[in-house]
């Protein structure tokens, strides 16, 4: 503990939770890694940073970014050409590393910090791969991180659901998984579909019975969404809908929203699930219909998964979709794996081309969703890194949202059929700085239950970003003037200034440990790892001395969730 | 495979013994004595600090250093890679030849695979290329091919084909098709054609008559979930990657109509784990040079065995905390960090004994199928030796800090 304050003097604080809209000049005090209340006169101020009216926001939070774990690492191995092209040596501060859309662990932390991001969430941790994922993430410096455990294709759950398991048994299992895998949420990926692919089924709709278990994706979805709600886990079920990438999938997306029937849920990379079948090519934007469904459903939050033109790799647990798309691989190599009666993994390198009709339309659909969904508290900025493009393209994306003339210039460059028919050009909306602060900070923090992040009120973690108020919003957000993590300066003018370790964020709802009586024999009879070795002890994370554990409190009756 | 179902007992003398589910490899590792051991400089016993000073002196003057062996747990590997980054050294694992058959194929064509747990419950047909399965994958049959229980198939009824030289071993339900594994690529290619409904030319491929191959292809097509597996160490050393590419094509072809997965078998000394740690920390696999500018990967140029044979290394750090990394017989000045009892072909310049992960300290390693990392626990309370990571960090601290700054290369995505 130190007794000195750092004073950030005279910034325009843009803090939607703290009800500051960036209008007036304010001072901000940091102490012991937290935002402090204005101290009494005469206390010692250790350091004063004059902000000269620059824009101040909390550290940004990436709610959905594939930054570590088995499939990301396989993607690195699949693409030596990417890493040959984008490498960096050690410089006394930075460790060496490489990669652009599958950056190595150290580079990942540096680039996020340099961009003013102070937390990122790995959205697809297979429970069987959890230890590997945490080992990798513990080598990502500076930022806080957390993981969503992937459920909904694991044979234990499917078999129990088929056998008529009660909601309370499912709740105990979900809670047990959250504890055992050190997760902060649960994601369901193509519910039932990944498992169905193992039985050689190539597509599964919301109300189609699973070929072996006879249960429907609808049932898997609602049981899991109910479980998280019952357990009072702040982050609701994180849903990757069925039929990703298939023209006409907007119907299953709208049906999914309807099936949830008011239960809180987060629909991820919505862009990939908002496709219609109109037009000569039977592929069209259904962004307006999907946005309307989201606008009407206050229980739903989304992130977009915007595509950015250029080379990337799509990395997903959804092997059913990825195998179907493997013919599109560019370069022509790809990976699919069936994993541990637990899930799957599919890696398909991809180049999004602005002149290609399909890619241009995907780009427009993403932007339409951002602009047509009205409430910035329920739509978050993502490219589904690396699936739509690397997280380093966020500043570009922010400019697309904030600057209509820039957006329309880009629109004029893409495939002319899309440019001519898209409604994008007619949308006048420009995001305000406050709305950007909501969708990249306050909103994700709220939907993740991070009470002391995403805002700048006294008591918050002192993750603070100071921007020059430049008319070019891309330049502004690419290289913040100052970035503080836990009150320490970590980047200056977009260049790393110091490094360190962030926390692993987890949630630990209460549950009945008796579920282990059912799980133990399951592990022994059907798995290849014993239950005792599956579970990750706190010491496995803490003993590496690469950051602590931060436990998100479960919701209480007085908390509003939307 | 890195099995996690061993039963380990401590006898009255404090010696550990594997009492159930082990293989020969596991039994010999767990039976290692917990000996106090000295450090040595050219055969002369010295304290640890003196050994580290001598090692640092040797490395400080090296122009082309290398860090090899890498048979260690995650933290030991991480520390070895950080040392390599400090030195500008090439990194490679002792058992990387087998690993790179698969990795080079992955870099060219990708892969379609499944993990042990999936296959144990699901696979109803095994087409296995290789020989000496008992030696290279000792528990393949009892854990995966014929497990005691299975969710989606008859656990005892798996059938299949063993393709490779006749080593006399057989298994119920398995048919041997004798062939030299040099021909594995053409055999697998012919199988792909047959699965796709084409008829390859000729009566035999790689010494196997076409009718036999047609039966294999039919079995793959009719299986609900087939496996094409291979013992990487038994493939043609010069063209193992071509074989694996061919296996992968067979798997992908079969998946047009039914399910099938590839399965690489073998591997030792946590080679897969070492490669994974290198990939996540640096973005590149082993056989890379770290720290001399951006990571530079070249699977041919940076094969450590070749570099040593060509006299292209002037100082070698060798890490062998687990078994599976025989110390190379080389005149290259060498600093060896090894578990007690590690055979040494000659006295190295510096020898520093290290603790055995999973016996003397906790940690983690990767299982043979890559998905599951397993926890290692401390089983012997009175550890007398330091973990490899601590020794390597001590060595790193004695070396000058990083070279002058190299700017991160500017990149633009759009």
């Amino acid at each position: 503990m130190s007794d000195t304050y750092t004073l950030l003097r005279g910034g325009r604080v843009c803090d939607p939770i703290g009800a500051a809209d960036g209008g007036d000049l304010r001072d901000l005090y940091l102490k012991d890694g937290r935002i402090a209340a204005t101290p009494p006169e005469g206390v010692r101020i250790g350091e004063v940073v004059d902000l000269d009216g620059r824009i101040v926001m909390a550290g940004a939070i990436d709610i959905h970014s594939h930054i570590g774990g088995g499939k990301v690492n396989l993607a690195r191995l699949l693409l030596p050409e990417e890493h040959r092209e984008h490498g960096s040596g050690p410089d006394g501060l930075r460790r060496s590393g490489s990669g652009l859309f599958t950056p190595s662990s150290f580079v990942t932390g540096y680039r996020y910090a340099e961009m003013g991001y102070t937390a990122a969430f790995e959205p697809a941790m297979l429970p069987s791969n959890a230890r590997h994922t945490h080992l990798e993430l513990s080598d990502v410096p500076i930022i806080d991180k957390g993981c969503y455990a992937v459920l909904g294709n694991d044979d234990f759950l499917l078999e129990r659901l088929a056998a008529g398991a009660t909601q309370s048994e499912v709740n105990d299992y979900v809670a047990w998984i959250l504890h055992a895998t050190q997760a902060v949420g649960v994601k369901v990926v193509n519910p039932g579909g990944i498992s169905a692919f193992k039985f050689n089924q190539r597509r599964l709709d919301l109300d189609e019975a699973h070929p072996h278990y006879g249960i429907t994706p609808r049932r898997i979805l609602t049981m899991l969404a109910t479980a998280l709600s019952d357990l009072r886990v702040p982050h609701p079920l994180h849903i990757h809908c069925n039929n990703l990438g298939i023209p006409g999938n907007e119907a299953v997306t709208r049906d999914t929203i309807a099936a949830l029937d008011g239960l809180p849920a987060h629909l991820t990379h919505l862009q990939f699930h908002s496709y219609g079948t109109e037009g000569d090519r039977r592929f069209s934007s259904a962004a307006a219909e999907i946005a309307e469904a989201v606008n009407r459903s206050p229980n739903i939050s989304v992130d977009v998964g915007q595509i950015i033109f250029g080379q990337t790799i799509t990395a997903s647990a959804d092997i059913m979709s990825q195998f179907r798309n493997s013919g599109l691989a560019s370069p022509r190599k790809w990976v699919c794996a069936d994993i541990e009666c637990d899930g799957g993994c599919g890696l398909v390198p991809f180049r999004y081309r602005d002149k290609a009709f399909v890619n241009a339309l995907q780009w427009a659909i993403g932007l339409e969703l951002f602009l047509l969904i009205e409430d910035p508290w329920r739509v978050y900025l993502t490219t589904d890194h690396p699936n739509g493009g690397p997280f380093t393209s966020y500043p570009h994306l922010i400019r697309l949202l904030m600057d209509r003339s820039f957006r329309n210039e880009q629109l004029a460059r893409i495939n002319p059929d899309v440019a001519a028919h898209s409604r994008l050009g007619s949308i006048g909306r420009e995001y305000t700085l406050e709305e950007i602060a909501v969708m990249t900070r306050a909103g994700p923090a709220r939907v993740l239950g991070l009470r002391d992040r995403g805002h700048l009120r006294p008591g918050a973690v002192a993750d603070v970003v100071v921007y020059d108020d430049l008319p070019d919003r891309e330049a502004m957000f690419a290289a913040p003037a100052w970035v503080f993590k836990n009150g320490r300066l970590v980047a200056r003018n977009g260049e790393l200034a110091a490094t360190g370790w962030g926390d692993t964020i987890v949630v630990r709802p209460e549950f009945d440990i008796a579920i282990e009586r059912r799980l133990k024999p399951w592990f022994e009879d059907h798995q290849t790892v014993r239950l005792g070795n599956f579970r990750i002890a706190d010491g496995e994370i803490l003993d590496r001395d690469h950051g602590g554990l931060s436990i998100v409190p479960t919701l209480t009756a007085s908390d509003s969730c939307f | 495979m890195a099995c996690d179902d061993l039963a380990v007992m401590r006898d009255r003398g404090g010696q550990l013994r594997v009492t159930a589910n082990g293989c020969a490899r596991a039994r010999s590792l767990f039976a290692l004595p917990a000996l106090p051991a000295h450090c040595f400089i050219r055969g002369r016993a010295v304290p640890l600090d003196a050994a580290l000073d001598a090692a640092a002196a040797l490395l400080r003057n090296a122009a082309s250093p290398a860090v090899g062996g890498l048979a260690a747990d995650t933290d030991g590997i991480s520390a070895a890679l950080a040392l390599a980054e400090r030195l500008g050294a090439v990194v490679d694992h002792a058992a990387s030849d087998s690993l790179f058959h698969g990795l080079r194929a992955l870099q060219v064509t990708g892969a379609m695979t499944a993990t042990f747990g999936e296959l144990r419950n699901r696979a109803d047909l095994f087409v296995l290329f290789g020989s000496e399965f008992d030696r290279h994958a000792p528990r393949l049959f009892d854990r995966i091919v014929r497990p005691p229980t299975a969710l989606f198939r008859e656990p005892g009824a798996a059938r299949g084909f063993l393709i490779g030289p006749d080593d006399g071993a057989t298994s119920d339900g398995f048919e041997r098709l004798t062939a030299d594994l040099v021909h594995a690529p053409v055999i697998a290619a012919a199988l792909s054609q047959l699965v796709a409904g084409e008829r390859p030319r000729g009566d035999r491929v790689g010494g196997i008559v076409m009718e036999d191959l047609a039966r294999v292809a039919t079995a793959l097509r009719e299986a609900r979930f087939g496996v094409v597996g291979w013992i990487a160490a038994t493939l043609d050393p010069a063209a193992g990657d071509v074989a694996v590419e061919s296996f992968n094509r067979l798997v992908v072809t079969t998946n047009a109509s039914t399910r099938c997965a590839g399965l690489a078998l073998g591997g030792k000394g946590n080679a897969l784990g070492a490669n994974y740690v290198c990939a996540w920390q640096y973005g590149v696999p082993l056989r890379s040079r770290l720290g001399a500018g951006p990571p530079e990967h070249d699977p041919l140029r940076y094969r450590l065995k070749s570099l040593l044979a060509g006299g292209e290394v002037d100082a070698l750090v060798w890490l062998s905390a687990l078994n599976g990394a025989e110390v190379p017989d080389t005149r290259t000045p060498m600093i060896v960090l090894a578990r007690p009892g590690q055979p040494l072909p000659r006295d190295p310049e510096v020898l520093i004994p290290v603790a055995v992960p999973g016996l003397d300290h906790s940690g983690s390693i990767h299982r043979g199928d890559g998905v599951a990392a397993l926890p290692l626990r401390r089983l012997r309370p009175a550890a007398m030796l330091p973990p490899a990571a601590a020794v390597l960090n001590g060595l790193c601290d004695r070396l000058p800090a990083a070279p002058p700054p190299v700017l991160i290369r500017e990149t633009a995505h759009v």
Side-chain angles (χ1 to χ4, degrees):
Chain A
M1 302 286 277
S2 91
D3 58 353
T4 60
Y5 288 80
T6 299
L7 166 59
L8 308 183
R9 187 158 61 195
R12 289 198 288 134
V13 175
C14 187
D15 181 16
I17 294 183
D21 61 2
D24 303 328
L25 292 187
R26 265 181 49 188
D27 297 338
L28 210 55
Y29 292 88
L30 319 183
K31 184 170 183 285
D32 301 324
R34 298 261 164 182
I35 307 290
T38 305
E41 294 271 337
V43 298
R44 209 161 76 78
I45 305 294
E47 191 189 353
V48 180
V49 182
D50 273 311
L51 302 188
D52 297 321
R54 289 183 175 84
I55 305 290
V56 183
M57 293 188 191
I61 298 167
D62 193 343
I63 194 170
H64 188 107
S65 176
H66 299 272
I67 54 171
K71 71 178 162 6
V72 176
N73 213 30
L74 261 180
R76 295 183 184 112
L77 293 169
L78 182 67
L79 292 167
E81 51 273 56
E82 172 201 351
H83 297 270
R84 194 173 300 129
E85 206 174 320
H86 306 281
S88 54
D91 65 4
L93 174 62
R94 293 176 178 88
R95 293 281 301 271
S96 173
S98 65
L100 176 61
F101 37 91
T102 61
S104 51
S105 59
F106 294 103
V107 169
T108 299
Y110 304 152
R111 287 200 186 137
Y112 263 122
E114 287 173 334
M115 256 179 18
Y117 273 74
T118 51
F121 291 82
E122 161 55 51
M125 175 176 73
L126 290 186
S128 56
N129 190 239
R131 182 170 282 104
H132 172 120
T133 305
H134 284 292
L135 283 168
E136 240 189 73
L137 292 185
S138 82
D139 285 334
V140 174
I142 306 173
I143 61 170
D144 300 321
K145 52 258 165 179
C147 302
Y148 313 143
V150 174
L151 292 177
N153 285 286
D154 46 321
D155 284 297
F156 179 83
L157 179 67
L158 299 186
E159 192 195 82
R160 293 307 306 151
L161 290 181
T166 61
Q167 184 67 49
S168 114
E169 182 187 335
V170 172
N171 296 356
D172 287 336
Y173 171 62
V174 168
W176 185 87
I177 285 283
L178 286 167
H179 282 249
T181 67
Q182 304 274 6
V184 71
V186 171
K187 182 190 188 193
V188 62
V189 178
N190 187 357
I194 296 170
S195 167
F197 182 63
K198 295 171 182 176
F199 292 91
N200 201 28
Q201 185 146 334
R202 306 294 165 120
R203 182 176 165 149
L204 191 68
D205 282 311
L206 192 62
D207 290 304
E208 197 173 349
H210 181 285
H212 179 76
Y213 294 107
I215 51 174
T216 60
R218 178 188 296 273
R219 184 162 158 73
I220 299 168
L221 263 176
T222 51
M223 292 291 271
L224 284 173
T226 304
L228 290 157
S229 175
D230 287 356
L231 292 165
R232 312 295 293 170
V233 170
H235 191 47
L237 184 62
H238 198 96
I239 301 172
H240 159 143
C241 293
N242 298 63
N243 296 341
L244 177 143
I246 298 180
N249 63 11
E250 57 93 15
V252 80
T253 306
R254 282 189 292 120
D255 289 349
T256 300
I257 294 173
L260 290 160
D261 195 21
L263 278 168
H266 179 86
L267 267 52
T268 190
H269 39 69
L270 197 61
Q271 178 274 128
F272 290 107
H273 304 276
S274 302
Y275 303 154
T277 52
E278 290 170 13
D280 297 343
R281 304 183 204 225
R282 315 296 295 156
F283 183 64
S284 60
S285 169
E289 293 81 354
I290 295 293
E292 194 200 336
V294 173
N295 287 337
R296 272 191 281 108
S297 313
N299 56 312
I300 299 295
S301 62
V302 306
D303 67 86
V304 170
Q306 176 66 34
I307 71 143
I308 301 291
F309 300 119
Q311 176 71 49
T312 191
I313 185 166
T314 62
S316 174
D318 192 348
I319 177 176
M320 181 191 250
S321 298
Q322 291 292 67
F323 182 74
R324 185 173 53 233
N325 295 332
S326 58
L328 304 173
S330 171
R332 297 192 61 78
K333 53 183 175 179
W334 49 273
V335 174
C336 279
D338 298 290
I339 296 173
E340 287 303 274
C341 297
D342 189 13
C345 156
L347 303 168
V348 181
F350 197 80
R351 177 177 286 279
Y352 292 105
R353 291 174 299 132
D354 59 2
K355 298 292 188 282
F357 175 81
V358 169
N359 301 160
L361 190 59
Q362 289 178 301
W363 178 85
I365 291 170
L367 292 173
E368 288 167 11
L369 287 169
F370 272 118
L371 297 166
L372 296 173
I373 294 173
E374 288 154 7
D375 181 1
W377 287 91
R378 295 196 288 118
V379 55
Y380 314 123
L381 188 107
T382 68
T383 55
D384 187 19
H385 164 89
N387 291 304
F391 65 77
T392 43
S393 48
Y394 289 169
H396 174 75
L397 178 51
I398 289 173
R399 185 171 183 201
L400 288 169
L401 298 178
M402 293 190 75
D403 184 341
R404 187 188 177 196
S405 60
F406 176 68
R407 185 164 71 226
N408 285 343
E409 279 168 30
Q410 306 301 308
L411 181 64
R413 291 189 192 172
I414 65 171
N415 177 287
D417 289 351
V418 174
H421 293 106
S422 169
R423 84 183 64 216
L424 185 60
S426 67
I427 302 176
R429 183 174 174 195
E430 292 182 328
Y431 269 77
T432 64
L433 275 178
E434 190 183 6
E435 286 176 324
I436 294 294
V438 170
M439 71 165 8
T440 57
R441 279 96 169 148
R446 187 175 79 171
V447 83
L448 287 160
L450 310 176
R451 293 166 192 230
D452 52 6
R453 287 166 170 83
H455 65 88
L456 296 169
R457 286 177 304 182
V461 171
D463 295 349
V464 186
V465 189
V466 181
Y467 297 101
D468 293 306
D469 189 3
L470 304 176
D472 177 349
R473 298 305 194 189
E474 182 170 350
M476 168 177 169
F477 281 93
W482 284 274
V483 180
F484 297 87
K485 178 79 189 81
N486 294 90
R488 277 183 63 226
L489 178 70
V490 292
R492 179 87 172 93
N493 295 329
E495 289 284 330
L496 197 72
T499 184
W501 301 107
D503 285 345
T504 299
I505 299 175
V506 299
V507 68
R508 295 184 174 170
E510 286 179 23
F511 70 105
D512 184 352
I513 193 74
I515 188 72
E516 288 201 349
R517 284 207 295 271
R518 220 186 260 288
L519 281 162
K520 197 162 184 294
W522 171 269
F523 273 89
E524 281 172 14
D525 293 344
H526 304 306
Q527 296 292 80
T528 44
V529 175
R530 302 286 172 108
L531 180 140
N533 288 336
F534 177 88
R535 220 173 14 212
I536 301 170
D538 289 354
E540 293 185 54
I541 291 173
L542 298 175
D543 293 350
R544 297 194 85 209
D545 271 337
H546 284 193
L549 283 165
S550 170
I551 301 170
V552 171
T554 48
L555 299 172
T556 59
S558 62
D559 286 313
S560 63
C561 48
F562 301 112
Chain B
M1 281 171 75
C3 299
D4 89 325
D5 61 345
L6 310 189
V8 181
M9 300 273 290
R10 186 194 315 277
D11 67 19
R12 256 174 274 155
Q15 179 68 51
L16 297 176
R17 265 185 321 118
V18 176
T19 55
N21 296 339
C23 63
R25 233 184 256 176
R27 281 190 293 274
S28 68
L29 183 74
F30 280 89
L32 285 176
L35 296 171
H38 286 292
C39 300
F40 292 90
I41 298 176
R42 284 185 291 277
R44 178 172 53 88
V46 295
L48 176 61
D49 270 345
L52 285 172
D53 288 343
L58 184 71
L59 292 172
R60 218 174 279 133
N61 297 320
S64 343
V67 177
L70 300 182
D73 64 322
T74 305
D75 285 345
I77 293 159
S78 296
L81 298 178
L83 175 67
E85 184 181 342
R86 179 67 61 91
L87 293 168
V90 170
V91 293
D92 197 4
H93 189 280
S96 68
D97 281 344
S98 298
L99 183 76
F100 269 84
H101 291 330
L103 198 54
R104 295 195 63 203
L106 178 80
Q107 291 173 337
V108 175
T109 58
M112 192 160 184
T113 61
T115 64
F116 295 158
E118 198 68 60
L119 297 178
R120 117 172 224 179
N121 286 298
R122 200 176 284 284
D124 54 353
L125 175 77
F126 290 81
V127 177
L128 300 174
F129 290 81
S131 60
E132 295 184 278
F133 288 86
D134 276 354
R135 184 159 79 85
H136 295 287
R139 300 192 61 207
L140 170 67
F141 279 81
D142 84 64
R143 292 199 75 194
I144 296 172
V145 179
R146 274 196 207 90
T149 56
L151 286 166
F152 312 114
R153 60 156 169 145
E154 287 296 315
R159 59 200 186 87
F161 300 88
L162 302 175
I163 302 176
D166 192 349
D167 58 5
T170 52
S171 187
D172 286 350
F174 277 74
E175 182 181 342
R176 176 171 296 281
L177 302 177
T178 302
D180 187 326
L181 286 168
V182 167
H183 303 305
V186 289
I187 294 167
L191 286 171
S192 291
Q193 282 187 281
L194 289 162
V195 166
E198 298 162 21
R199 176 82 194 177
R201 277 183 294 176
D203 300 332
R204 284 173 178 271
V205 177
I208 303 176
V209 297
M210 197 61 77
E211 283 65 35
D212 286 344
L213 289 177
R215 284 189 299 112
V216 178
T218 303
L220 278 167
R221 261 205 319 262
E222 290 175 355
R224 283 193 300 165
F225 203 109
V227 175
V228 175
W230 59 92
I231 304 280
T234 62
L235 300 176
D236 178 3
D241 54 334
V242 178
V244 177
E245 281 181 41
S246 189
F247 301 149
N248 186 52
R249 207 164 303 121
L250 173 57
V251 169
V252 171
T253 306
T254 307
N255 271 291
S257 62
T258 185
R259 290 308 322 276
C260 181
L263 178 67
L265 293 159
K268 52 187 178 177
N270 197 23
L272 199 80
N275 192 52
Y276 276 179
V277 176
C278 191
W280 86 57
Q281 293 189 350
Y282 296 93
V284 293
L286 298 174
R287 297 193 179 172
S288 291
R289 188 168 181 204
L290 305 179
E296 190 188 355
H297 169 61
D298 189 326
L300 300 178
R301 181 173 166 209
Y302 292 138
R303 178 177 181 260
L304 183 53
K305 273 183 200 146
S306 309
L307 291 175
L308 288 172
E312 294 176 76
V313 175
D314 60 359
L316 174 65
V317 177
W318 190 263
L319 174 58
S320 175
L322 296 167
N323 53 15
E326 292 79 19
V327 178
D329 187 1
T330 170
R331 292 188 183 283
T332 305
M334 189 159 44
I335 298 150
V336 175
L337 278 62
R339 61 181 171 78
Q342 172 78 49
L344 296 169
R346 62 183 74 214
D347 275 339
E349 264 58 25
V350 181
L351 172 64
I352 302 176
V354 292
V356 181
L359 295 186
D360 302 319
H361 64 85
S362 59
S364 58
I365 58 167
H366 275 80
R367 202 172 69 177
D369 59 356
V371 166
L374 294 170
L376 299 173
R377 300 198 172 82
R378 182 173 177 173
L379 300 180
R380 303 195 293 212
M384 283 163 275
L385 295 170
V391 174
L392 289 159
N393 291 337
L395 191 47
C396 217
D397 290 342
R398 282 169 167 77
L399 292 163
V406 179
L407 286 178
I408 288 193
R409 207 176 294 168
E410 290 298 323
T411 53
H413 188 66
V414 182

